[in-house]
Amino acid sequence: SASICLGATKALTATINSVQCAEFYSWQIVSGGGSISGSTYTATTAGSKTIRAIHGLSTSDVTFTVTAQPTASITGGGPSSGCYGLDPTTLTGTVNDAAGTDTYQWILNGSNIGGANGLTYNPGFLGAGTYTYRLVHSADGSNCNVATSNAITFTVSADPTVSIAGGGTSSGCAGLDPTTLTASPVGGTGTSSYIWTLNDGNISGATASTYDPPALGAGTYVYRVVYGMTGSGCNTAISN
């Protein structure tokens, strides 16, 4: 009397210890609902079912369980984006108790993860790329479907880098007026920020992707930009 998943049918078999009229018996649903056609029982709801075989004055009951089809969902794993070395939190699966023995398999980008057969999975540190995780829940009861959970995706970028160009003539006399300096960032994720520096000191208010130096007096002027991204684990980049 193994359990079955909702939607399955169950063949009913009676063994009657009689030398006469052994072919005459009938079936009765004692509890749990459903329907019987001939000797086939069909469940319409999940739960415990009791079926009775009737032969003359003799009766025999069998009880089995009908479960819902397997389900699966996953949560956790934040944050969902960041830079190289992103370390997501543990992913946790939520499933129902389906018919028979339940098994679980975590999947990354459509392929099974070896040894990942529990209800939790820790992705570990991630390099640059896109990582989509799901949990597959199956059960070996009769007519049980395979359930695949929702997806949780992590997008990991390389750490940001930045370079600057422009400025025109790099040397001249007092009053030299350089052209605008322009930052060209690459990589990272999140919201960007810029701080322009002059001789390793921050320039007040210079927080855009471009900076136009004023006319310069005699001296040496070294400009750089410090570029940051708010994504998890993103390092700060300093330009040439």
Side-chain angles (χ1 to χ4, degrees):
S1 55
S3 58
I4 62 176
C5 279
L6 191 60
T9 59
K10 192 171 184 69
L12 304 173
T13 302
T15 300
I16 302 171
N17 184 18
S18 173
V19 295
Q20 294 181 350
C21 301
E23 67 275 19
F24 296 110
Y25 60 89
S26 61
W27 301 100
Q28 178 185 16
I29 298 173
V30 178
S31 63
S35 63
I36 297 175
S37 176
S39 59
T40 300
Y41 171 78
T42 302
T44 55
T45 59
S48 178
K49 316 293 177 181
T50 298
I51 309 299
R52 177 169 295 160
I54 303 172
H55 178 244
L57 298 178
S58 299
T59 64
S60 178
D61 292 353
V62 61
T63 299
F64 55 92
T65 300
V66 176
T67 71
Q69 291 286 348
T71 61
S73 63
I74 60 175
T75 57
S80 61
S81 63
C83 286
Y84 186 93
L86 180 72
D87 186 14
T89 58
T90 297
L91 301 171
T92 300
T94 300
V95 300
N96 65 331
D97 184 14
T101 300
D102 296 283
T103 58
Y104 315 106
Q105 176 65 62
W106 289 89
I107 292 177
L108 169 59
N109 294 342
S111 298
N112 292 350
I113 303 171
N117 306 114
L119 284 176
T120 61
Y121 181 72
N122 189 337
F125 294 99
L126 302 178
T130 300
Y131 303 81
T132 299
Y133 293 90
R134 290 182 172 87
L135 176 65
V136 173
H137 172 206
S138 57
D140 64 3
S142 175
N143 199 56
C144 293
N145 299 327
V146 175
T148 301
S149 75
N150 56 301
I152 291 182
T153 298
F154 304 98
T155 302
V156 184
S157 302
D159 269 326
T161 61
V162 64
S163 61
I164 59 174
T169 303
S170 61
S171 63
C173 292
L176 177 71
D177 189 9
T179 59
T180 299
L181 302 170
T182 300
S184 297
V186 176
T189 185
T191 302
S192 60
S193 63
Y194 301 87
I195 301 174
W196 289 89
T197 67
L198 169 59
N199 296 341
D200 295 329
N202 292 351
I203 302 173
S204 178
T207 56
S209 61
T210 60
Y211 178 70
D212 187 10
L216 305 176
T220 300
Y221 301 83
V222 178
Y223 292 94
R224 290 186 173 89
V225 70
V226 178
Y227 177 69
M229 296 289 285
T230 59
S232 178
C234 293
N235 295 321
T236 298
I238 301 175
S239 74
N240 52 306

